[in-house]
Amino acid sequence: MKTTAPITNRTASTSRTVDVRPDIRVRAVEDGDHDAVHGILTSRHILGGTMRVPHAARRETVARLQPASGTHHLVALVGDEVVGFAELVTYPDAPRHRHVGELNLIATAEAWGGRGVGRALLDEVIDLADNWLGLNRLGLTAFTDNTHAIRLYERVGFVIEGTMARYGFGNGAWMDAHLMGRLRPEA
């Protein structure tokens, strides 16, 4: 991956930006990204794969995106457009659990689904976890009917560790979910 200079003509950011593909860049969330991230998180195609409910207020997304110890928010960009979002949660203040991270969410704008945005975000989260945070384990929860996401997670080393019946409720039905985990390969 090629590290590039921060995007300086749009914000006063000092965050690291990574070109993960010629057309997709990944960087930390900035204040100007809130509306785009909110649009992604409240879109119909994302709601079905998360625990969010329709009509969430923008202020909820803004609150979620506030800096917090152990939480890493990333966005994927194509040109100037935010087309994806990822959230990695770690436990730096838990001595017996600080080696673990939870991939809480990867979401793409509907027009960008199936075009490599989710994979770009996932690759960058794994790089962050393995090479910068020293995490040994990543976990996530995926609804069993989200076969596209499950295949993506399996391609990068996640395995299904268990299935939880009636884990969530949405669109008028109960939803089962897989617990998935990935151990960092031994160096």
Side-chain angles (χ1 to χ4, degrees):
M1 285 184 261
K2 177 184 171 190
T3 302
T4 61
I7 301 171
T8 55
N9 60 341
R10 286 171 260 327
T11 67
S13 167
T14 59
S15 65
R16 173 180 183 251
T17 302
V18 176
D19 291 336
V20 292
R21 287 187 8 187
D23 57 334
I24 301 173
R25 296 184 333 270
V26 175
R27 64 162 166 75
V29 167
E30 297 174 354
D31 290 341
D33 300 331
H34 293 164
D35 286 335
V37 172
H38 181 68
I40 291 169
L41 296 181
T42 57
S43 62
R44 253 307 163 203
H45 80 285
I46 295 300
L47 287 174
T50 70
M51 296 299 270
R52 296 179 66 88
V53 295
H55 314 296
R58 181 184 180 278
R59 71 179 172 279
E60 292 174 27
T61 301
V62 171
R64 177 185 193 154
L65 298 177
Q66 294 306 303
S69 177
T71 302
H72 305 271
H73 295 122
L74 303 176
V75 290
L77 299 108
V78 173
D80 294 335
E81 181 183 1
V82 172
V83 297
F85 171 74
E87 182 176 70
L88 172 66
V89 178
T90 64
Y91 308 95
D93 299 324
R96 295 180 59 198
H97 202 61
R98 66 177 64 149
H99 65 286
V100 175
E102 299 292 331
L103 180 56
N104 193 32
L105 179 66
I106 288 190
T108 61
E110 189 166 16
W112 288 92
R115 296 172 64 184
V117 173
R119 178 62 189 254
L121 283 163
L122 185 56
D123 287 346
E124 192 60 21
V125 165
I126 290 171
D127 179 65
L128 177 64
D130 288 356
N131 299 314
W132 297 96
L133 302 176
L135 301 180
N136 287 302
R137 175 183 171 76
L138 285 177
L140 62 87
T141 303
F143 288 113
T144 58
D145 65 348
N146 194 350
T147 56
H148 179 76
I150 292 167
R151 282 193 310 272
L152 173 62
Y153 299 139
E154 289 175 334
R155 281 195 298 271
V156 297
F158 283 88
V159 297
I160 295 171
E161 299 177 325
T163 303
M164 300 176 289
R166 293 187 180 185
Y167 181 76
F169 186 82
N171 206 25
W174 290 106
M175 300 178 296
D176 297 345
H178 291 312
L179 290 171
M180 299 184 75
R182 174 193 177 272
L183 300 178
R184 182 175 62 188
E186 295 297 322

